[in-house]
Amino acid sequence: RARRPSQVWVAELAYVASWQGFVYVAFVVDVFARMIVGWRVSASLKADLVLDALEQALHARADTEGLVHHSDRGTQYLSIRYSERLAEAGIRASVGSTGDSYDNALAETIIGLYKTEVIRRRGPWRNVDAVEFATLEWVAWFNNQRLLGPIGEIPPVELEQAYYRSNEPHAMPA
């Protein structure tokens, strides 16, 4: 749980079968409203995949003070380049324990929704470009229109907007 945006992020990746081989999709999710703040699609499972998703999240969220980034123990997330980038951004890394299926449950839930709502429903997939375009559409819909029960049957963007409206500094009287 998070009490505000950019307090805790979770990250995970998914494998998608295509006619040209596996396609990999990485997500970075802000725990507060379940907002997908970074994502990337690639035909390669190298660390660049998760680094690019992280960079998108960092670009989307300028204020990362006090942020904790949680992931599983995947080699991409434990890579020196990824760890260094988190440290450079002032983000504290948190890595799950081995064999704990509940440790990164929120990220796994987002992956499950993605696979159910896009991958299984609209496949089979021709190539990385088809997966990337479908992912772009889904992320936009997910963040801006999909109603999520855990946050009050509203889209993630609405919860974040409500947070910022209620936490804006009040105007000082003249």
Side-chain angles (χ1 to χ4, degrees):
R1 296 182 188 264
R3 294 184 318 265
R4 62 173 173 79
S6 292
Q7 182 179 19
V8 179
W9 289 352
V10 293
E12 183 59 275
L13 56 90
Y15 295 65
V16 177
S18 82
W19 293 354
Q20 295 180 342
F22 277 109
V23 174
Y24 309 96
V25 184
F27 291 103
V28 178
V29 179
D30 189 313
V31 171
F32 175 74
R34 277 80 166 158
M35 175 84 77
I36 298 169
V37 293
W39 63 274
R40 189 63 69 222
V41 176
S42 177
S44 169
L45 195 50
K46 294 183 180 178
D48 289 338
L49 168 68
V50 295
L51 274 166
D52 288 346
L54 176 62
E55 288 300 333
Q56 183 182 24
L58 291 170
H59 182 73
R61 302 290 168 106
D63 181 15
T64 58
E65 185 176 334
L67 176 65
V68 174
H69 175 287
H70 185 77
S71 68
D72 62 17
R73 299 185 79 76
T75 57
Q76 297 81 3
Y77 296 110
L78 296 177
S79 71
I80 292 170
R81 290 174 56 213
Y82 200 82
S83 299
E84 286 176 346
R85 183 62 182 112
L86 289 173
E88 180 183 299
I91 298 170
R92 192 174 61 176
S94 167
V95 182
S97 54
T98 304
D100 184 351
S101 60
Y102 299 106
D103 191 47
N104 208 19
L106 177 57
E108 295 285 353
T109 298
I110 300 298
I111 295 289
L113 292 171
Y114 169 71
K115 286 187 170 183
T116 299
E117 296 171 353
V118 179
I119 300 306
R120 291 185 191 104
R121 183 173 291 161
R122 294 175 55 185
W125 298 94
R126 290 186 179 273
N127 54 35
V128 67
D129 293 335
V131 174
E132 184 171 29
F133 185 72
T135 304
L136 168 70
E137 291 178 326
W138 182 78
V139 169
W141 172 78
F142 183 91
N143 283 343
N144 296 290
Q145 295 176 310
R146 190 182 197 293
L147 306 179
L148 294 174
I151 61 170
E153 298 295 342
I154 60 173
V157 70
E158 286 186 29
L159 182 60
E160 287 203 355
Q161 289 170 345
Y163 173 85
Y164 288 118
R165 273 194 310 272
S166 67
N167 288 291
E168 287 179 0
H170 298 291
M172 296 289 290

